[in-house]
């Protein structure tokens, strides 16, 4: 029997701790080794048994989650899934947590969190599994700034015991493909030459990868449409933070937004984003729809729409992330004559999505993250 992913749930709400524990325990690949009402208790538990993943609330008594996260990432990195409230302050703090090294974000509503977690059980379990595969690097204290309050040392040592809770069965919803949102187009439909357009997809580790790319891109880059797996409420803060560090205009996409040179549109959380074209001008459609490959927004949906409406005028890029969302879409782009790039294994936090695309033969080139911007510039100039 394969070793299960051991999770420590840290949250000051007893309801949330119970909800998360029940849901995670229902997954045969996950076991909850314990819970903690605050980081002080969590540190004591970690000193006895090291979890594979920690789920972490941000606002807690005695020590806030960011301080605890800083301590973990500078002393003994452990994958952390942040559970943050869906408020303006909560989303901004969660963005900071991603910069500090958290691998995933789950939004927590202030009302009826138990029902929310039950409805989002697949997302929760997938986030934990993705975090367990993440390659982490120890952060230097100066990278994270001064601590807001004293924190005990995180000094784990192995232990021989584990803890299990009882759980009730949860029904798993069907897994849809991009067919549920957009029909596959015909490559022969793309007969017009247009400006180059770049479509990019990522998941776990993608927020930092996107940050690296947009920070180094020149202001006259082709229009870029991005799907980053992220919950509703967080993509606006993510887009705003990127807009501050990039020479490009970066915004959370709204239905009908035009995509043009120098502009980056980020798919809003919990909505699919499709690339569309009228004549030679591109715009995006933001719409409802079922989860595709267990995600909304879905990379496959964006890539298929780009294959249909941009074809050989597109460049497709798939970055770090768990699962296979985007692999089929990148293959469809490739088949229309679009140029395609997959991030290489060494620079990925989780080599899942790029691996599946490479395995399918969808990637023309496999490139390290720090070389992708340069290659995109060269490709877009060659297309003029």
């Amino acid at each position: 029997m394969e070793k299960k992913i051991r999770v420590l749930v840290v949250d000051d709400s007893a309801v949330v701790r119970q909800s998360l524990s029940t849901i995670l325990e229902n997954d045969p690949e996950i076991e909850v080794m314990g819970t903690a009402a605050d980081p002080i208790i969590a540190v004591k538990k970690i000193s006895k048994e090291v979890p594979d993943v920690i789920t972490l609330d941000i606002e807690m008594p005695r020590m806030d989650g960011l301080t605890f996260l800083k301590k973990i990432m500078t002393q003994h990195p452990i994958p952390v899934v942040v559970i943050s409230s869906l408020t303006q302050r909560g989303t901004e703090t969660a963005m900071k947590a991603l910069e500090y090294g958290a691998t995933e974000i789950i939004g927590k509503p202030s009302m009826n969190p138990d029902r929310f977690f039950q409805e989002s059980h697949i997302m929760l379990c997938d986030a934990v599994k993705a975090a367990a595969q993440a390659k982490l690097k120890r952060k230097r204290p100066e990278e994270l700034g001064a601590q807001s309050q004293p924190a005990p040392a995180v000094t784990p040592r192995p232990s021989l015991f584990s803890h299990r809770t009882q759980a009730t069965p949860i029904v798993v919803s069907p897994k849809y493909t991009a067919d549920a949102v957009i029909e596959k187009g015909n490559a022969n439909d793309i007969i017009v030459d247009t400006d180059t357009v770049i479509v990019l997809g990522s998941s776990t580790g993608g927020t930092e990868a996107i940050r690296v790319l947009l920070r180094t891109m020149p202001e006259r880059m082709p229009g870029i449409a991005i799907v980053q797996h992220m919950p509703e409420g967080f993509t606006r803060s993510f887009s705003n933070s990127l807009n501050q560090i990039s020479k490009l205009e970066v915004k959370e996409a709204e239905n009908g937004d035009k995509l043009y040179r120098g502009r980056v549109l980020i798919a809003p959380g919990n909505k699919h984003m499709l690339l569309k074209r009228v004549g030679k001008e591109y715009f995006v459609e933001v719409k409802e729809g079922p989860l595709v490959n267990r995600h909304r927004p879905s990379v496959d949906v964006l890539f298929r729409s780009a294959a249909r409406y941009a074809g050989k005028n597109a460049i497709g890029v798939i970055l770090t992330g768990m699962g296979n969302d985007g692999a089929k879409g990148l293959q469809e782009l490739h088949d229309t004559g679009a140029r395609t790039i997959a991030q290489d294994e060494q620079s990925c936090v989780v080599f899942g999505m790029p691996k599946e695309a490479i395995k399918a033969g969808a990637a023309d080139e496999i490139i390290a993250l720090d070389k992708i911007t340069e290659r995109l510039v060269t490709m877009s100039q060659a297309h003029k």
Side-chain angles (χ1 to χ4, degrees):
M1 185 174 179
E2 292 186 6
K3 179 178 176 289
K4 293 188 177 186
I5 300 168
R6 297 166 302 157
V7 181
L8 175 63
V9 176
V10 185
D11 198 294
D12 62 327
S13 166
V15 171
V16 171
R17 292 198 302 274
Q18 180 57 50
S19 296
L20 285 173
S21 297
T22 300
I23 290 163
L24 294 174
E25 282 284 345
N26 268 280
D27 192 298
E29 298 177 34
I30 299 171
E31 99 177 62
V32 177
M33 56 166 270
T35 65
D38 62 46
I40 305 297
I41 298 172
V43 168
K44 294 178 181 178
K45 289 181 179 287
I46 293 171
S47 69
K48 296 177 181 177
E49 182 178 15
V50 187
D52 298 311
V53 177
I54 296 172
T55 68
L56 179 65
D57 188 15
I58 294 294
E59 298 180 0
M60 288 182 290
R62 297 210 289 174
M63 184 195 301
D64 65 273
L66 277 184
T67 299
F68 182 49
L69 180 62
K70 290 179 184 179
K71 205 70 177 175
I72 291 171
M73 293 305 168
T74 56
Q75 293 186 2
H76 186 93
I78 298 170
V80 173
V81 175
V82 166
I83 311 290
S84 182
S85 60
L86 293 172
T87 63
Q88 182 174 356
R89 179 183 174 187
T91 56
E92 291 173 354
T93 303
M95 290 302 103
K96 186 65 68 175
L98 287 173
E99 293 179 31
Y100 289 173
T103 59
E104 296 275 357
I105 299 176
I106 300 294
K108 178 177 64 175
S110 57
M111 301 296 291
N112 203 351
D114 181 63
R115 178 181 175 184
F116 169 80
F117 288 135
Q118 286 291 333
E119 292 175 345
S120 307
H121 62 275
I122 293 176
M123 176 179 64
L124 284 163
C125 293
D126 283 353
V128 166
K129 293 174 186 178
Q133 294 185 23
K135 295 182 291 187
L136 301 181
K137 295 180 181 179
R138 181 174 294 183
K139 299 277 188 178
R140 298 189 304 274
E142 56 269 25
E143 291 182 77
L144 307 184
Q147 291 185 177
S148 59
Q149 61 191 93
V154 180
T155 52
R157 59 183 174 82
S159 143
L160 299 178
F161 65 86
S162 63
H163 173 72
R164 288 187 58 82
T165 60
Q166 295 299 314
T168 54
I170 293 176
V171 178
V172 177
S173 56
K175 187 175 180 179
Y176 293 102
T177 68
D179 293 335
V181 180
I182 177 175
E183 293 181 0
K184 187 175 181 179
N186 188 330
N188 295 326
D189 293 342
I190 309 299
I191 58 176
V192 58
D193 284 330
T194 68
D195 284 341
T196 298
V197 63
I198 297 171
V199 287
L200 185 152
S202 57
S203 189
T204 309
T207 53
E208 184 57 29
I210 292 169
R211 194 180 306 277
V212 168
L213 292 182
L214 295 190
R215 186 186 287 125
T216 60
M217 285 183 177
E219 59 185 349
R220 291 296 295 166
M221 287 294 291
I224 304 173
I226 296 176
V227 163
Q228 163 66 38
H229 295 158
M230 187 175 282
E232 182 178 9
F234 294 92
T235 41
R236 178 161 296 179
S237 292
F238 179 51
S239 302
N240 292 342
S241 68
L242 292 172
N243 190 54
Q244 294 174 4
I245 65 161
S246 178
K247 296 176 183 177
L248 306 169
E249 175 201 358
V250 186
K251 76 181 293 283
E252 182 186 53
E254 297 176 78
N255 190 45
D257 274 349
K258 291 184 177 179
L259 185 64
Y260 46 76
R261 187 171 291 276
R263 184 179 232 193
V264 180
L265 297 177
I266 309 286
N270 204 36
K271 298 283 181 66
H272 289 302
M273 182 173 74
L274 292 76
L275 183 71
K276 294 292 185 74
R277 176 174 55 81
V278 174
K280 292 189 175 184
E281 292 190 345
Y282 290 102
F283 66 98
V284 296
E285 179 183 2
V286 174
K287 63 186 294 185
E288 307 281 350
L291 297 175
V292 172
N293 299 321
R294 296 184 177 177
H295 295 287
R296 188 175 51 238
S298 162
V299 182
D300 264 344
V301 169
L302 174 63
F303 283 3
R304 170 172 286 189
S305 68
R308 182 170 179 175
Y309 292 102
K312 65 181 181 179
N313 303 297
I315 301 174
V317 184
I318 192 161
L319 301 178
T320 174
M322 180 180 171
N324 63 359
D325 189 29
K328 288 183 179 179
L330 198 72
Q331 181 68 62
E332 291 176 16
L333 275 167
H334 180 273
D335 291 346
T336 66
R339 293 139 296 171
T340 55
I341 294 173
Q343 185 180 351
D344 75 344
E345 181 174 7
Q346 187 173 0
S347 64
C348 280
V349 172
V350 177
F351 188 56
M353 288 159 53
K355 180 181 179 181
E356 292 302 315
I358 293 166
K359 188 190 303 181
D364 293 324
E365 302 181 35
I366 305 166
I367 307 176
L369 179 64
D370 62 359
K371 303 295 183 184
I372 291 178
T373 291
E374 179 183 354
R375 190 70 187 109
L376 288 174
V377 170
T378 301
M379 282 181 168
S380 59
Q381 289 175 342
H383 184 67
K384 289 181 179 179

